[in-house]
Structure formats: structure tokens, C-alpha cells
Amino acid sequence: MPHVSVVLVASFVALLSLVPLGFIAWITIDVGWQTVRELVFRPRVGELLVNTVFLEALTVPLSIALAVTLAWLTERTDIPFARLWSWLAVAPLAVPAFVHSYAWVSLVPGMRGLTSGVFVSVLAYYPFLYLPVAAALRRLDPAIEDAAASLGLNSWGVFFRTILPQLRLAICGGSLLIALHLLSEYGLYVMIRFDTFATAIVDQFQSAYNSPAANMLGGVLVACCLLLLSLEVLIRGNERYARVGSGAARPADRRRLGWWVVPAIALPLLLALLTLGVPLVTLARWLYLGGLGIWRLDTVGNAFGQTIILAVVGGILATIAAAPMAWLSVRAPGRLQRILEACHYYVGSLPGVVVALALVTITVRLVLPLYQTFATLLLAYVLLFLPRAMVGLRASIAQAPVELERAAMGLGRTPSQAVRQITMRLAAPGAAASIALVALGITNELTATLMLAPNGVETLATKFWSLTSEIDYVSAAPYAFMMVVLSLPLTLLLHAQSKRTAGQ
């Protein structure tokens, strides 16, 4: 089957995804080494770098310990109401990180600095680790654990010598996701007054559009992202994790907790109170204080409508842009395909502020009419959420047999007609899931929308942020509540997909 046209479209999308990296290189060459040295090698950048290192070094290990412990309790023990605790462990993803911060600052106005940042970050992001670790625990073959026990290892020895090493891939993947979110998060750390690269870049952008200082900070942030990606590859290693031998792995036996059941229940219960109870109670309090007067259709309704439009249009465009690459990765694997696929995926690791800064600079310098237009904003959404669209599409296309395409061509269809009428129809559920994942990501996107949205465009996230910046927490509550409501389907989808992956 000819792939030339599909490769050309996928290559065009890959070139678009390289725009942020090209922007950093272009700015570095444009300003000259002397200016780069003055803007990068200065005390302020060192302070931000120290803050980032401490934030990553404390948040990621704490999240690993918490997620692994909770996953073990819900998947490998006889803890009562395991399914309820499993769902509650994922549910915090429905609350945007900056809403977590809003809730805690409302409850404890004195929350400031690194300690508060680590505390709220762990509560907001540990589910990104819990999901893959819990899924991995469901798939592990307990025969390996039985063999280790028969060789004289106690329960702790079995866990650290056989189970934990098999969770390395899940832990590395989830940790990388959390680490990248920590680099890109803006609203959470502004509220608790903790300076990071993302907050400094937005501050520079708001004080001086197209500031060289903001561009250089963006370059340092990209370097941090690439360093984290390299570190994850190094730690992950090349070990094989597949089961060897005939037959299928049996389900693992759940361990009896005995008198440990009380502290075992206390952990997920306490987490549910901290991650869900505090935000929901805080929102309910502000909504009660505001009454019906804060639910105004001219503001809340307008922001809700614009959010839905941007989310749906952005989700459809991102899925369409990802479709050629998703089809190539399944139907025509090869060296060129792997390079193009890497270009599609890497952009998802970049902070939204860097992508937005690149598009702002390019539109201001080269195509000024596109500055602060819907086209530029939607392009930013496509670049940021391209990997989300790829994941669902690729899995669905892989489940559509290639023989059906060949049969359609044997009956007179052209290759493009066969793909469109057969494969894409079979992949429609995956495409719908991809659109939903991207749309809900756009719903909670803050920094790119703040920097690129046209005048008069206000989403739930930007309206919430503008009101909280004015310390008007009562008026901001409806926007936070609507974001949580729109994010709940994503949480349910992630949890269901995790179960489905493990065959449950």
C-alpha cells in the first residue's frame, strides 16, 4: 500500500511539533552568546534552579512511596472496600492542580514556600503514579513471588527483591510524568508564592512582551525537560519484564492484613479527605457564601461556552493531526516512522508556557496578524496534547485487522478509501476517547491560554485565575466547580482504561 501521502502529512505535523525547539535555538543565536550568558548565568536563574531541584527531589520520592503503598493495599491485600479506595485514589485527577492550591490557601492562608509546594504537589499529582503502578501489580505473575518465598525470603524480602524491581517501568513512567508537571505548573505555585521557572517566565512575559529574559528562561526550562527525559531512560534500563513460559499467570492471592487493617484503611481515608474533602468542602463553602448571585449566565455561562467550544474544536483538530502518525506506527513501522513518532511525542513533555512563548515570539516577529488569534491558540492546544490523541488512536487502529483494508482494495476501493471507510470507522471509539482526553486537558489548561487567548476570550481556567488573583475567592468558586465537573469523565475514563489494560 502506498504510504507517501500519509508520510508527508505526518512529516508536516512533526515539523510543527519541532517549532518550540527551533524557537529556542533561533532565539539563542539571535541574541548572541554575550546576552545569553548575562541572562542565564545570573543569581536569579540559580535561585529558580535550586527551587526546582528541591521541589523535584522531595515531591517525586514522596509520591512514589505514597502511590506504591496505596497500590499495594488496594491490589494485593484484603482491605475492605478495595474498589472504593481504588477509585478515590484516582479521583484527585478531576481537580486541577491550581484548584487544589486554591482550596488549601483558602483553608490555611499562611501556606507559603517549598514545604507547602511539596505538600500540595504530592496531593495533586500522586495519582499519576498510582495508576500505572496499580495496573502493573494486577499483571504481575505471582509464581515469581512464590519461588522467592520458597528460597527463604520473608515478605519484605519478596517485595523488595521480586515485586519492586518489576514495577520499575511503571514507577519511572509515572515519576517522569509528575516531574514534567512540576516543571510546567504555574497556578499552583503562584498561589503559595513559590517561585519556579514557569512562574518567572509568565511574570516576565506579563511585564515585557517578547522579553529576551523570558525566552532564555524558557530555554533553561527546555534543558531541564530534556535532562529529565534522559534521566528516566537511564534509570529505566533495558531489562525485560515479560513473562517467559507457556500458559497464563494466575491471579495473585490477597494478603490478610489482620490487625493492620485499621491503619491500612486510615491511609486511603486520610488521602481522600485531603485530596477530595478539602477542595470540595472549600468550594461548597465559597458557593454557599456567594449564593445564587455568583451564578451569572453572562460570565459563568460565557466562560463555560467558550471552554466547551475550544475544548471540542481543539480535541478534534489534535486527533485529526495525530491520525496519520498513528496509522503509520501500526501499518508501516520502520526507522523513519520511529523518528516521526518521537517528534510527535516529545512536545507533550514541554511546559505549556514554553510552547506559548514560542508561538508568541514567532507570530510577533514573522506573522503579526496571527498574534492572539484563535488559530494560534488552537495550534498551541494541538501541539501540547498531540501525544494524548496519539495514544488512543494507535491502540484502536492496532485492533483493526489490516486484512480488511486489503479486502476492501481487492473489491475496488483505493487505499485512502479503504483506510477511511474501514479502518477509521473501526477506530472511531478510540478517536472519540482521544478527543475526550484532549478536550478535558484543554479545559484545565491555564498558561498557554493566558498568553495566547484573543481579547474577549475567557475560559473557565482563565476566568477562575483572574478572580483568584484579585483575592475574590467567592466569585471564583463557580468556575472551579465547573472545571471539576468537566474533569470527572476523564478520571472515570483513565480508571476504566487502567482496569481494561489488566483484563478486568
Side-chain angles (χ1 to χ4, degrees):
M1 184 181 296
H3 308 308
V4 177
S5 59
V6 183
V7 170
L8 289 177
V9 176
S11 299
F12 175 73
V13 177
L15 287 175
L16 283 180
S17 68
L18 291 174
V19 165
L21 278 185
F23 152 75
I24 295 298
W26 174 36
I27 290 297
T28 302
I29 296 172
D30 185 53
V31 300
W33 172 246
Q34 182 64 29
T35 304
V36 170
R37 187 170 57 184
E38 293 175 355
L39 293 176
V40 173
F41 299 99
R42 55 192 176 108
R44 176 58 173 167
V45 176
E47 177 187 343
L48 296 174
L49 189 59
V50 170
N51 287 351
T52 300
V53 170
F54 275 105
L55 182 66
E56 299 275 4
L58 293 174
T59 302
V60 174
L62 289 174
S63 299
I64 292 173
L66 184 60
V68 171
T69 302
L70 193 57
W72 174 261
L73 288 175
T74 56
E75 301 299 332
R76 288 300 189 90
T77 69
D78 63 345
I79 185 172
F81 313 111
R83 289 192 175 184
L84 173 63
W85 304 129
S86 177
W87 188 88
L88 290 176
V90 181
L93 291 178
V95 184
F98 50 86
V99 175
H100 278 284
S101 183
Y102 156 80
W104 280 99
V105 169
S106 299
L107 182 67
V108 187
M111 291 190 72
R112 297 288 185 274
L114 175 63
T115 304
S116 300
V118 171
F119 175 73
V120 180
S121 298
V122 171
L123 295 182
Y125 291 127
Y126 87 87
F128 285 115
L129 257 164
Y130 172 83
L131 273 171
V133 170
L137 280 173
R138 298 185 200 112
R139 295 193 301 267
L140 293 186
D141 187 354
I144 301 176
E145 303 164 36
D146 296 340
S150 68
L151 293 174
L153 292 179
N154 58 21
S155 298
W156 289 105
V158 170
F159 178 79
F160 285 104
R161 296 285 297 278
T162 64
I163 297 176
L164 195 59
Q166 295 181 81
L167 299 177
R168 183 190 294 184
L169 282 180
I171 292 175
C172 286
S175 299
L176 177 63
L177 194 57
I178 291 177
L180 293 174
H181 273 84
L182 295 179
L183 286 182
S184 62
E185 180 56 45
Y186 168 71
L188 188 159
Y189 301 120
V190 168
M191 282 195 173
I192 60 176
R193 298 182 184 178
F194 180 66
D195 292 336
T196 64
F197 282 108
T199 62
I201 290 172
V202 175
D203 289 343
Q204 287 281 351
F205 175 81
Q206 291 176 339
S207 61
Y209 285 89
N210 196 30
S211 165
N215 293 330
M216 289 301 98
L217 288 177
V220 177
L221 194 54
V222 170
C224 293
C225 289
L226 297 178
L227 178 63
L228 286 175
L229 291 170
S230 303
L231 185 62
E232 190 269 344
V233 171
L234 181 65
I235 296 175
R236 183 177 59 196
N238 298 316
E239 287 81 359
R240 289 185 58 191
Y241 296 88
R243 182 177 184 270
V244 179
S246 60
R250 63 175 173 81
D253 297 327
R254 289 184 175 265
R255 299 181 181 274
R256 296 185 178 275
L257 290 172
W259 65 273
W260 283 97
V261 68
V262 175
I265 292 178
L267 176 62
L269 180 61
L270 178 61
L271 275 176
L273 292 175
L274 295 177
T275 58
L276 297 174
V278 170
L280 293 180
V281 169
T282 302
L283 285 176
R285 172 173 170 263
W286 289 122
L287 290 173
Y288 173 77
L289 292 175
L292 294 177
I294 58 177
W295 292 92
R296 295 182 297 177
L297 289 179
D298 59 336
T299 54
V300 179
N302 181 58
F304 181 80
Q306 291 186 346
T307 300
I308 292 295
I309 292 173
L310 287 172
V312 172
V313 175
I316 293 174
L317 290 177
T319 304
I320 292 174
M325 189 65 252
W327 186 83
L328 280 176
S329 66
V330 176
R331 295 288 190 257
R335 184 175 299 177
L336 177 61
Q337 170 267 325
R338 287 193 293 270
I339 295 174
L340 293 177
E341 192 172 10
C343 292
H344 280 65
Y345 275 113
Y346 101 92
V347 72
S349 67
L350 297 182
V353 65
V354 172
V355 175
L357 196 61
L359 294 178
V360 166
T361 304
I362 291 172
T363 53
V364 167
R365 293 194 178 192
L366 301 179
V367 280
L368 188 58
L370 290 179
Y371 176 64
Q372 283 193 328
T373 61
F374 279 105
T376 306
L377 180 60
L378 290 173
L379 177 59
Y381 289 154
V382 169
L383 294 178
L384 286 171
F385 300 109
L386 194 60
R388 292 195 186 194
M390 280 280 296
V391 171
L393 269 178
R394 188 175 62 175
S396 296
I397 292 174
Q399 293 174 353
V402 68
E403 290 77 11
L404 296 180
E405 292 181 16
R406 294 170 181 165
M409 287 186 291
L411 294 173
R413 297 292 191 274
T414 64
S416 60
Q417 288 175 336
V419 172
R420 187 175 64 254
Q421 297 175 7
I422 303 298
T423 304
M424 289 307 170
R425 287 189 179 182
L426 293 175
S434 296
I435 292 173
L437 283 171
V438 174
L440 289 167
I442 292 173
T443 300
N444 299 328
E445 168 57 38
L446 179 60
T447 51
T449 310
L450 282 174
M451 297 171 69
L452 295 172
N455 292 330
V457 173
E458 292 181 326
T459 65
L460 291 172
T462 58
K463 189 64 179 175
F464 166 83
W465 184 249
S466 66
L467 291 170
T468 53
S469 300
E470 299 170 0
I471 321 297
D472 190 357
Y473 290 163
V474 173
S475 299
Y479 303 96
F481 178 77
M482 295 307 299
M483 280 189 288
V484 173
V485 170
L486 288 178
S487 298
L488 279 175
L490 173 60
T491 303
L492 295 174
L493 180 63
L494 286 172
H495 192 251
Q497 184 64 32
S498 174
K499 293 282 189 179
R500 192 179 300 114
T501 302
Q504 297 182 7

